[in-house]
Amino acid sequence: MAAIYSLYIINKSGGLIFYKDYGSAGRMDTNDSLRLASLWHSMHAISQQLSPISGCTGIELLEADTFDLHCFQSLTGTKFFVVCEPGTLHMENLLKHIYELYTDYVLKNPFYEMEMPIRCELFDINLAQAVQKDRVALLGR
């Protein structure tokens, strides 16, 4: 079973701009993935406002019995989150690496329009390599 179930990228407005399923047992259709992204964006924003700690950036980790959800928010408000097996470590590093790939292959693409769905072949190729490399590293631990 894969350590990573799925990856989502949400723009600052809460719109799903990228979704990739990595073979989770319960595959979601497009509407479910849009609902999950919207729900996460809302929960993340509410947690920032309700936090007793000033300067809170929102939920970074949500742990459940059957999955963990790790989130990284860029300075521009774009959120990257991974749904993975419970107890999977070092997802923060993977999310930061995915953010670097996003800045290198999506934002520097002259044909990409901000806040629109990501359709960039170089991003897809490098993302697949990063996830595969992470899976191999997890097997070695």
Side-chain angles (χ1 to χ4, degrees), residues 103-113 119-120:
T103 58
D104 287 343
Y105 296 106
V106 177
L107 295 182
K108 293 178 184 176
N109 182 343
F111 301 107
Y112 177 69
E113 294 182 38
R119 288 176 178 71
C120 179

Side-chain angles (χ1 to χ4, degrees), residues 18-67:
F18 185 83
Y19 167 69
K20 181 70 175 171
D21 188 1
Y22 291 101
S24 58
R27 290 183 183 256
M28 292 192 300
D29 64 14
T30 304
N31 288 334
D32 288 339
S33 59
L34 288 168
R35 275 191 289 275
L36 178 61
S38 177
L39 177 67
W40 180 254
H41 176 75
S42 300
M43 286 176 43
H44 198 271
I46 291 168
S47 70
Q48 287 176 317
Q49 294 174 0
L50 294 179
S51 175
I53 302 169
S54 63
C56 177
T57 59
I59 302 170
E60 294 178 358
L61 173 62
L62 176 80
E63 294 177 324
D65 293 337
T66 56
F67 68 92

